[in-house]
Amino acid sequence: MREQNTDKALFNAPDPLQVAKKYKNEFIALLCALFAYGNAKNIVNFLKRLDFSLLDLNEKQIQKECKSLKYRFQNSKDLAQIFITLRRLKQENSLEELFTKAYQKDENIIDAIKNFIQKTRQINTYQSYGYDFFFSKIFEKMPKAPLKRYNMFLRWMVRKDELDLGLWKGIHTKDLLIPLDIHTHKTSLKLGLITRKSYDFESVLRLSEKLKEFDFNDPIKYDFALYRLGQSKEILKWNLKI
């Protein structure tokens, strides 16, 4: 595990955290995390080309600068509105306070994510498939989707070691949830950490609880190693009998 959670290991294969670490800024890190869907190499290439100074422009300038910009599910208008939403949030408050205040009521990460998604809808009423996909759908009590991108962002912000940024102080690492993606899910099934084959939020909860058996106070430190085993397909070579 110590060999995996290192800066050297991070740069062995494409990862959006590579870009986030360059800036060490919570808003830029959020953009890196929420754009992290699809092929890792393509994600990193897009993030390296992205002009994060758009966050500091006025709204008319943002719309102008985004006219020729697009990324997978997001067209130029979607991207402009994403930056506008985050600019408005930045002018109001820090992301740390927005997430942490909701979390601290019951020490619940789900509440923090839910509060943020609701805030994005309040501060900007724009809607489209690409925009809604980027920020995720509002959920009532429990989400159905794994919310991988948000949980990854929170891992970066809360955990502090050679791998993760640890920019925030008000959320305990024991309450973080696994950023479950397809690679991590398959690896966890192969290792017998979970048996649930559905790629959903219930699997997130089950795997997060299982990892607490290995380290109750920092269970998500195992995320990066599990992900890389799946990403590299090394796990497929293992002949395991569990």
Side-chain angles (χ1 to χ4, degrees):
M1 183 55 58
R2 290 176 182 174
E3 293 178 0
Q4 282 296 324
N5 282 11
T6 64
D7 197 60
K8 181 180 178 181
L10 173 63
F11 285 87
N12 283 340
D15 193 293
L17 181 55
Q18 295 168 358
V19 179
K21 289 193 81 167
K22 178 181 177 182
Y23 295 92
K24 296 181 173 62
N25 174 283
E26 61 176 5
F27 280 92
I28 293 176
L30 180 66
L31 282 164
C32 290
L34 295 189
F35 276 122
Y37 66 94
N39 178 272
K41 184 178 180 180
N42 293 339
I43 293 166
V44 172
N45 287 339
F46 171 74
L47 293 175
K48 285 181 176 179
R49 296 194 306 268
L50 195 59
D51 183 4
F52 296 111
S53 69
L54 289 170
L55 288 166
D56 299 315
L57 302 180
N58 65 47
E59 295 187 11
K60 286 187 177 180
Q61 289 174 317
I62 290 173
Q63 291 173 329
K64 180 181 178 182
E65 293 298 321
C66 286
K67 280 186 177 179
S68 60
L69 192 62
K70 62 180 180 178
Y71 176 73
R72 299 200 69 200
F73 300 155
Q74 288 84 37
N75 59 33
S76 60
K77 191 173 181 180
D78 298 335
L79 287 164
Q81 292 300 320
I82 286 167
F83 275 97
I84 286 171
T85 296
L86 294 180
R87 178 185 181 275
R88 291 176 183 176
L89 286 171
K90 191 177 180 183
Q91 289 182 318
E92 277 194 10
N93 215 334
S94 69
L95 291 177
E96 180 176 10
E97 185 164 345
L98 186 60
F99 277 88
T100 302
K101 189 175 181 180
Y103 156 81
Q104 288 180 338
K105 290 179 181 178
D106 296 305
E107 296 187 339
N108 191 325
I109 287 295
I110 302 170
D111 291 341
I113 297 172
K114 180 181 179 181
N115 184 59
F116 175 78
I117 297 173
Q118 288 176 330
K119 183 64 177 178
T120 64
R121 296 301 191 270
Q122 293 167 6
I123 209 165
N124 190 345
T125 58
Y126 176 82
Q127 286 186 301
S128 74
Y129 176 78
Y131 181 88
D132 294 342
F133 178 90
F134 182 84
F135 285 113
S136 299
K137 294 179 180 179
I138 293 176
F139 53 89
E140 292 302 319
K141 294 182 179 180
M142 293 288 287
K144 293 181 180 179
L147 297 178
K148 169 248 180 177
R149 294 171 295 148
Y150 280 110
N151 285 319
M152 182 173 69
F153 168 68
L154 289 167
R155 192 201 88 198
W156 296 351
M157 293 296 100
V158 176
R159 292 197 69 258
K160 177 66 175 177
D161 60 8
E162 192 177 335
L163 179 68
D164 291 320
L165 299 170
L167 300 180
W168 295 357
K169 305 303 179 185
I171 296 176
H172 199 296
T173 53
K174 70 178 175 59
D175 298 316
L176 293 174
L177 297 173
I178 192 79
L180 191 70
D181 75 342
I182 296 298
H183 296 304
T184 310
H185 186 231
K186 288 181 178 179
T187 300
S188 299
L189 286 169
K190 181 80 173 179
L191 292 174
L193 295 172
I194 55 172
T195 57
R196 184 176 177 82
K197 294 183 179 180
S198 298
Y199 175 63
D200 57 13
F201 198 75
E202 180 61 32
S203 289
V204 171
L205 296 177
R206 293 187 187 187
L207 181 54
S208 299
E209 282 300 309
K210 181 65 178 179
L211 294 176
K212 283 187 175 183
E213 295 179 13
F214 305 106
D215 190 329
F216 182 83
N217 287 315
D218 190 15
I220 310 308
K221 73 179 182 184
Y222 301 106
D223 170 54
F224 187 71
L226 291 172
Y227 166 73
R228 278 294 169 86
L229 278 174
Q231 183 190 38
S232 66
K233 295 183 172 55
E234 182 181 345
I235 190 70
L236 298 178
K237 303 174 184 176
W238 295 8
N239 184 22
L240 299 176
K241 293 181 179 180
I242 298 175

